[in-house]
Amino acid sequence: MSELWIDYANSLWHDWRGDGHAIDKLPQPEWQSAFLQKHRLTAPVPAPATELEEMARFRDLLREFAQRLYEGGSVTEPMMGAVNEQLQRSAVVRRAALHGEDVRLEWQPQENSWNAVLAEAAADFVKSLASGLGSRIRLCDNDNCKWVFLDDTRNRSKRYCEDKTCGNLMKVRRFRERKKAGDAE
C-alpha cells in the first residue's frame, strides 16, 4: 500500500544498512519525474530552486507528524494548521470522470506547480487520518532506515518497512549479538 504522502515523506533516504549515509532525493530531477509520474501529478521538472526549501520543510513536517503518531500521540490543532496552510497554497478542482464503467473523482490543479503537488500530498495525509489509518502509521524500527510506512497487518505488529531488507538485517544483528554474548560466557 503506497500512499502519496508517504512516498513524499520518504524522499529523504537513509542507508538502512547503517553507514549513516543519507540522500535527499527532492532536488533530483529523476526522483521528481518518477514521483510525479507514479502519482499522476504535474509540476515543472526540475523544481525551481525557490520552491525546494518549502518542499523540504513540508516533507520534514510530514515526517514529524508520522513520528508523533507512531509514538502514540494524537493529531493536534497545530498539525492541522500546518496541513491547512499547505492546502491553501494551491487552488484545486475535483471532477467526476467515467473510466469505462468506473466512476472516479479526479484532481485537477489550477496551476502547474510544486505547491499544487504539496497540497495534494497534504490532502492525502488528511485522507489517511480521516479513514482511520493514523494508528497504522509507523517508522521502521531499524534506526538507520527511518522509513515511514503504513502497517497493513491485521494485529498491527509490523516493525520494519520491509521484512526482506530491514527485518532480515535486524534479525541477523540480534542473532549475532546473542551468539557473541554466548561466546563471552
Side-chain angles (χ1 to χ4, degrees):
M1 172 185 315
S2 179
E3 303 282 331
L4 180 139
W5 77 269
I6 291 175
D7 287 347
Y8 190 78
N10 287 332
S11 63
L12 183 59
W13 179 86
H14 296 269
D15 183 10
W16 55 274
R17 292 169 299 227
D19 73 356
H21 183 71
I23 298 173
D24 185 354
K25 295 189 176 216
L26 274 181
Q28 298 177 355
E30 301 83 22
W31 180 88
Q32 294 169 11
S33 293
F35 176 81
L36 292 171
Q37 184 177 8
K38 178 179 180 181
H39 295 288
R40 297 184 183 134
L41 302 171
T42 60
V45 174
T50 55
E51 293 184 33
L52 283 173
E53 187 176 320
E54 175 58 26
M55 291 166 65
R57 184 193 72 77
F58 186 63
R59 178 202 45 215
D60 295 345
L61 273 175
L62 286 175
R63 293 186 64 77
E64 180 184 315
F65 296 163
Q67 177 78 38
R68 177 180 173 75
L69 294 170
Y70 172 63
E71 292 173 349
S74 58
V75 177
T76 65
E77 286 296 327
M79 283 171 71
M80 288 298 94
V83 169
N84 282 326
E85 179 183 318
Q86 195 59 56
L87 288 168
Q88 293 168 359
R89 289 178 178 242
S90 176
V92 169
V93 171
R94 306 242 185 239
R95 74 178 198 90
L98 192 59
H99 293 272
E101 294 184 16
D102 295 331
V103 175
R104 294 184 191 158
L105 188 61
E106 293 181 343
W107 171 77
Q108 292 186 309
Q110 299 305 291
E111 59 182 300
N112 184 30
S113 73
W114 280 94
N115 276 335
V117 171
L118 298 184
E120 190 61 13
D124 193 57
F125 176 70
V126 173
K127 286 181 207 171
S128 292
L129 297 177
S131 63
L133 296 176
S135 64
R136 291 188 177 271
I137 295 172
R138 302 280 185 270
L139 295 177
C140 185
D141 272 359
N142 177 356
D143 289 334
N144 297 312
C145 177
K146 302 176 175 107
W147 206 253
V148 177
F149 66 95
L150 288 177
D151 180 355
D152 57 358
T153 62
R154 185 182 310 212
N155 63 359
R156 300 179 187 205
S157 61
K158 190 169 180 179
R159 296 177 50 200
Y160 302 105
C161 61
E162 293 290 333
D163 290 334
K164 293 182 183 194
T165 55
C166 288
N168 190 49
L169 177 73
M170 300 310 289
K171 182 178 177 181
V172 168
R173 285 183 181 169
R174 284 191 307 272
F175 172 78
R176 288 180 180 162
E177 286 174 12
R178 284 192 309 271
K179 184 158 175 57
K180 187 177 178 180
D183 290 346
E185 292 176 6

